[in-house]
Amino acid sequence: MERAVQRRYLGLTAAIAALAVATTVAGCGSLGIGGSDEVTLKFVAADYNIDGGDGTKKYWNNLAREFETKNPGVKVDVSIHSWNDVDRKVAEMVEAGKAPDIAQIGAYADYVADGKLYAVEEMVSIPTQANFLAPLAKAGEVDRMQYGMPFVGSTRLMFYNKDLFEKAGIDSAPKTWDALAADAKTLKEEGVKYPFALPLGPEEAQAETMNWMLAAGSGYTDDIGAYSINSADNIGAFTFLKDKLVGPGLTGPVAPGKLNRKEAFAAFAKGEVGMLNGHPSLMQQAEKNGVEYEMVPLPTKDGKQRSAMGVADWMMGFKQNGHRKEIGKFLDFAYEDANVLAFADEFDLQPVTLTATDKMLADSKHQKTRKFLDAMPTAKLYPVGKTSWAKVSENIKQEIGAAVEPGNTPGGVLGALSREAAAVDSAQQ
């Protein structure tokens, strides 16, 4: 229903978009397109090559050259940095008064608070803005104005090893927490090293945590956007994890607070894990090692399916150099279906637009990703529109593992995290 509404909106705005394009073409001299003054856009992007290759650099350089050919008078200077460095690099550029025109990084809200960014509607065409998947577009808003444009995304599902299930006599995936615990116990009795891998280590503990909060019917924030980390539902989820999975030894030989996602994924790819939460890139990792797997929604307490967790990286346009129209022209081009799909294909990620998603769903080579794609339109994302989220997320990464350790209570740990979050949020108001 939501997708259909957005399609109607997209159709209704086509005439307006055509008029906007005509106006832009008529005044192309103001863009520097075809005029005497050449504009160079500085573009900083994150590197998606986990194996050290140069695919990200090649993609953006090729896209930039194609754009330049179609738009004489505008050049694009591309700079690629690893995910370990790119957010810091952009922050340093902004601090030094040398902000890029466009950045594709992990967060945007701090720059909105400082008045550094153009609103999305100031840059891109109406069809481009209307084409973003609704939950991703909403996650890019601050005070109901969109500043962050989702670039690529992913959702989370529970993976399970089909061979290990068959050997243990388990004939279907669990739908409730009680069934999950029972299956994990059966897998342990069959000698499975990690019946349910629970990575609450500092690499990406905020993601694993949110998976369980959503399955409990809650999340990091309440209906008005205030942090609710210690809600009754969230405490219930971690009480289940502590008492029914971690306590009985069903999460493997490494304490959840010490287990990172990378190691958990590697163990699944070796056939050592019965169940774990994962994103699309785990499919390729498992297939390379011949692991037979299936993906299902994470079980819930009552068996009722709830929204999956979604994640997106962000594109944004900086005001400093005054290149609003040129930025918009480049972003409209970057978000064309062919370009969105080319990037998603190369790096096993999900497109963030309605039309590209529909095309991927219709392509037979993407049948295995259909469940992830189907989950995105109703997915719930981190509260990235809050300037406090970066600090709150870091606190969760470092501390949430303690919630399932012996001697601690989930309510106590989640309560402390909730108080810390409220304090950070208040300080940044």
Side-chain angles (χ1 to χ4, degrees):
M1 178 65 180
E2 183 174 60
R3 186 175 295 176
V5 170
Q6 288 202 26
R7 284 204 190 94
R8 286 196 292 272
Y9 177 59
L10 192 60
L12 287 171
T13 57
I16 298 173
L19 177 60
V21 171
T23 303
T24 301
V25 171
C28 64
S30 65
L31 280 174
I33 301 171
S36 58
D37 297 328
E38 184 175 273
V39 169
T40 297
L41 297 176
K42 296 180 180 178
F43 175 37
V44 178
D47 187 358
Y48 285 79
N49 282 95
I50 61 176
D51 58 358
D54 61 353
T56 306
K57 183 177 181 180
K58 285 182 177 179
Y59 172 85
W60 285 119
N61 281 336
N62 289 339
L63 193 75
R65 301 297 83 79
E66 185 178 353
F67 173 78
E68 291 168 356
T69 299
K70 296 180 178 180
N71 297 275
V74 182
K75 299 293 184 183
V76 183
D77 179 16
V78 177
S79 179
I80 306 297
H81 299 274
S82 76
W83 272 113
N84 292 333
D85 301 324
V86 67
D87 290 278
R88 175 182 54 80
K89 180 66 176 178
V90 171
E92 289 172 352
M93 294 172 71
V94 173
E95 182 69 21
K98 298 179 179 179
D101 295 288
I102 307 169
Q104 184 271 300
I105 52 178
Y108 64 86
D110 285 352
Y111 299 119
V112 176
D114 292 337
K116 303 289 187 183
L117 301 183
Y118 289 116
V120 173
E121 66 181 24
E122 295 179 285
M123 298 181 292
V124 303
S125 67
I126 293 173
T128 296
Q129 185 175 8
N131 199 24
F132 292 124
L133 292 167
L136 302 183
K138 185 172 179 60
E141 294 179 359
V142 174
D143 294 332
R144 299 186 180 181
M145 179 68 73
Q146 187 181 356
Y147 293 90
M149 288 165 285
F151 175 58
V152 287
S154 66
T155 50
R156 301 293 194 267
L157 294 172
M158 190 185 82
F159 284 67
Y160 67 91
N161 184 310
K162 293 172 66 176
D163 289 336
L164 294 181
F165 266 48
E166 184 177 348
K167 290 176 182 176
I170 304 171
D171 56 11
S172 63
K175 294 182 179 180
T176 66
W177 288 351
D178 286 343
L180 186 151
D183 288 347
K185 182 175 183 292
T186 301
L187 290 166
K188 182 181 180 181
E189 291 170 351
E190 288 296 314
V192 175
K193 188 174 182 179
Y194 294 89
F196 190 98
L198 184 67
L200 294 175
E203 179 190 1
E204 205 191 30
Q206 84 284 3
E208 186 67 21
T209 296
M210 188 169 174
N211 282 322
W212 289 97
M213 288 180 169
L214 291 175
S218 192
Y220 283 122
T221 57
D222 60 20
D223 291 339
I224 61 172
Y227 285 111
S228 56
I229 294 172
N230 65 335
S231 71
D233 286 335
N234 292 341
I235 292 173
F238 274 82
T239 299
F240 164 76
L241 292 175
K242 182 176 187 292
D243 293 348
K244 302 298 184 180
L245 292 183
V246 180
L250 304 179
T251 55
V254 180
K258 302 293 184 182
L259 182 65
N260 282 321
R261 181 194 65 179
K262 182 178 180 180
E263 286 71 36
F265 278 20
F268 187 84
K270 293 177 183 176
E272 297 175 343
V273 175
M275 299 172 279
L276 86 169
N277 294 315
H279 54 63
S281 68
L282 182 56
M283 294 190 298
Q284 186 179 64
Q285 196 171 351
E287 288 165 6
K288 284 182 178 179
N289 291 307
V291 173
E292 293 290 332
Y293 63 88
E294 187 54 82
M295 300 99 63
V296 295
L298 180 62
T300 61
K301 182 177 181 179
D302 56 12
K304 295 180 180 179
Q305 188 171 330
R306 295 190 169 90
S307 297
M309 189 190 84
V311 176
D313 302 325
W314 300 98
M315 189 83 78
M316 63 210 70
F318 284 85
K319 294 180 177 179
Q320 180 179 309
N321 301 317
H323 295 154
R324 177 178 62 85
K325 292 182 179 179
E326 294 89 347
I327 292 170
K329 194 81 171 177
F330 178 73
L331 292 175
D332 279 338
F333 179 68
Y335 280 103
E336 289 180 4
D337 285 351
N339 298 326
V340 170
L341 288 168
F343 195 93
D345 274 347
E346 181 160 357
F347 298 102
D348 294 318
L349 293 164
Q350 295 171 236
V352 296
T353 63
L354 286 162
T355 51
T357 298
D358 283 346
K359 288 179 179 178
M360 184 174 276
L361 282 167
D363 190 337
S364 59
K365 74 177 181 179
H366 292 294
Q367 288 305 301
K368 287 190 175 182
T369 62
R370 177 177 290 275
K371 290 182 179 180
F372 291 102
L373 294 167
D374 286 342
M376 183 60 87
T378 58
K380 303 293 185 182
L381 282 76
Y382 301 131
V384 290
K386 296 172 75 68
T387 57
S388 57
W389 172 244
K391 176 60 178 175
V392 171
S393 175
E394 187 59 31
N395 289 343
I396 292 166
K397 289 179 182 180
Q398 299 300 324
E399 300 172 30
I400 193 63
V404 296
E405 290 177 355
N408 295 328
T409 64
V413 174
L414 292 178
L417 282 167
S418 200
R419 290 189 293 274
E420 289 172 358
V424 174
D425 203 37
S426 178
Q428 296 187 8
Q429 293 291 327

